[in-house]
Amino acid sequence: MADVALDPQNSNSKELFGQGMRAYVLQDYDTAVRAFSKASELLAAEHGSDTHDSLGDVYLYYGKSLLELSRKESGPLGEGVLKNVEEESETEDIEESDGEESKGKEEVNGDNKTEEAKPPEESSSDDKPANPEEPSSTEKKEGGESEEELTDLQVAWEVLELAKRIFVSRGADGKKNLAETLIVLGEISLESGNFSSAIEDIVEGLEIQKTLFGCDSRTIAETFYKLGGAYSTNAQIDEAIESFCASYEYLTNKLKSLEKENKEADAEEIEELKDLIPEVQEKISDMKNLKIEVAKKVASAVDEAEPKTNGAAEASSSKQANDISHLVKRKRKDDDAQENPPKRPST
């Protein structure tokens, strides 16, 4: 897909928002982030508030774009990972080459090998900044430029919290976007490893969606699927199965509705659902198999622990029952006493 061209001189917030939306649809998340970021800055400056109603949708898609950008860069096949792998490979080659060169110098110079292997000399005091009180670049980043140190997920969380406040203030008119914002916040928590918070936000958004959409909503089906993923990641297998089953139910209801209406315009969506439903069924099957495996492992662990205890007890009991040496010795001693009574001392 072709990237969306973004004019850095553009100061029209509406145009920037439109460009950001196009970039988001085309999955050009980097451009989308830059467009939404600038649009939000312009709108906040224009209205003198970062929680003005006009910023709600901008923040929502700004946060969604940041989330997708973070996933793209940190995923198994993300560009960032590939770049890091290449850089690490180059670094290893350089280090290996330097090591061989250093080793060669040590062998040639003999007694001087220590001097040759020394790292470059540190800069003297003359190379230090003239003003010792001036903070270093690291200290500057920790202070005035702390925003640059925030990750995409952290920025996404902050702007979505602002969007949440705006949509709450809209009342009933903001429920749909509020639900979506909560679900995206849940996805961010999931990416950050905060599973309980992710489940809480997704459930809250789902409850709002249930009041807005019918029993054949693909939106709710998608949310249930995300919730199932959050539960499974948090090792709540039963809850995950329940959520995936609910997703399957909503999708099948949607398929039945479309087939009943029998409109040509719905043909593509019908085929899409027919491909999607088996995937959800497979997910349910995987979760059920996982539950069985976990149960087997637990039972196996219990079985392995019990024989050791019982076996030890039986062995001890058997030893006690079979060991009659003390009785034999005592009997022999008594028999000897009867056959050879002690002689009386002679008078």
Side-chain angles (χ1 to χ4, degrees):
M1 295 182 181
D3 293 340
V4 177
L6 184 65
D7 182 6
Q9 304 301 324
N10 192 344
S11 59
N12 188 315
S13 59
K14 290 184 178 180
E15 290 182 1
L16 287 167
F17 179 72
Q19 290 176 345
M21 290 299 296
R22 286 195 295 274
Y24 181 83
V25 171
L26 295 173
Q27 300 181 7
D28 181 9
Y29 300 120
D30 182 66
T31 300
V33 165
R34 290 187 285 114
F36 291 132
S37 176
K38 189 170 183 180
S40 63
E41 291 176 3
L42 291 171
L43 286 171
E46 179 182 348
H47 298 286
S49 172
D50 58 358
T51 56
H52 188 268
D53 186 76
S54 62
L55 282 158
D57 293 341
V58 179
Y59 285 149
L60 174 56
Y61 282 94
Y62 185 15
K64 292 175 70 173
S65 299
L66 284 165
L67 172 60
E68 295 299 337
L69 182 61
S70 176
R71 286 171 170 169
K72 180 180 178 182
E73 293 180 345
S74 63
L77 299 178
E79 295 176 357
V81 174
L82 293 176
K83 182 178 179 181
N84 290 338
V85 170
E86 292 173 359
E87 290 176 351
E88 290 175 1
S89 178
E90 292 176 0
T91 303
E92 291 174 357
D93 292 341
I94 293 173
E95 290 177 351
E96 184 178 353
S97 176
D98 291 343
E100 293 176 356
E101 182 179 352
S102 175
K103 183 178 179 181
K105 288 182 179 179
E106 290 175 2
E107 293 175 353
V108 172
N109 294 328
D111 295 337
N112 294 330
K113 61 182 178 181
T114 304
E115 296 180 2
E116 292 293 340
K118 287 170 63 179
E121 295 182 1
E122 298 180 356
S123 59
S124 64
S125 58
D126 296 338
D127 297 331
K128 295 180 180 179
N131 185 3
E133 297 180 359
E134 182 179 353
S136 64
S137 59
T138 304
E139 292 173 343
K140 287 182 181 179
K141 288 183 178 180
E142 292 177 353
E145 300 179 4
S146 59
E147 292 183 0
E148 294 183 2
E149 298 179 356
L150 297 177
T151 65
D152 290 338
L153 290 179
Q154 289 172 328
V155 177
W157 178 268
E158 291 184 0
V159 297
L160 286 169
E161 282 293 328
L162 291 173
K164 178 181 173 181
R165 291 170 56 186
I166 294 171
F167 295 138
V168 168
S169 67
R170 291 184 186 179
D173 293 337
K175 279 190 173 183
K176 181 180 178 181
N177 286 337
L178 175 60
E180 186 175 1
T181 301
L182 287 165
I183 292 165
V184 180
L185 281 169
E187 292 182 78
I188 292 173
S189 294
L190 194 61
E191 292 287 332
S192 304
N194 192 349
F195 306 135
S196 59
S197 179
I199 292 170
E200 182 180 346
D201 284 333
I202 295 174
V203 168
E204 186 177 353
L206 177 62
E207 292 304 315
I208 297 174
Q209 288 181 338
K210 287 180 180 179
T211 66
L212 300 174
F213 307 111
C215 62
D216 61 349
S217 170
R218 288 191 65 177
T219 300
I220 295 180
E222 181 180 357
T223 304
F224 265 120
Y225 191 87
K226 292 177 180 178
L227 181 59
Y231 276 132
S232 64
T233 306
N234 201 38
Q236 295 177 253
I237 307 303
D238 288 333
E239 291 83 352
I241 293 172
E242 184 179 348
S243 296
F244 287 129
C245 286
S247 177
Y248 169 78
E249 183 179 350
Y250 273 84
L251 289 175
T252 52
N253 287 343
K254 182 64 175 180
L255 179 59
K256 291 177 182 178
S257 298
L258 293 175
E259 290 177 336
K260 185 177 180 179
E261 294 175 0
N262 195 21
K263 296 180 181 178
E264 293 183 4
D266 298 330
E268 184 177 349
E269 186 175 3
I270 289 174
E271 292 301 319
E272 184 179 345
L273 288 170
K274 287 182 178 180
D275 292 335
L276 185 60
I277 288 174
E279 295 180 11
V280 180
Q281 287 178 307
E282 184 178 357
K283 195 71 176 180
I284 296 170
S285 178
D286 290 342
M287 288 294 102
K288 289 181 178 180
N289 290 335
L290 178 60
K291 182 179 179 180
I292 294 172
E293 289 178 10
V294 171
K296 286 182 178 179
K297 288 182 178 179
V298 172
S300 176
V302 173
D303 292 340
E304 288 178 1
E306 288 181 351
K308 291 181 180 179
T309 305
N310 296 339
E314 291 173 1
S316 176
S317 176
S318 175
K319 181 177 180 182
Q320 292 177 0
N322 296 329
D323 186 4
I324 58 174
S325 58
H326 61 291
L327 298 175
V328 173
K329 290 178 182 178
R330 182 177 300 173
K331 183 178 179 182
R332 291 181 63 186
K333 185 176 181 181
D334 293 342
D335 292 344
D336 292 341
Q338 291 177 2
E339 293 175 2
N340 301 304
K343 296 180 180 180
R344 295 180 181 180
S346 58
T347 53

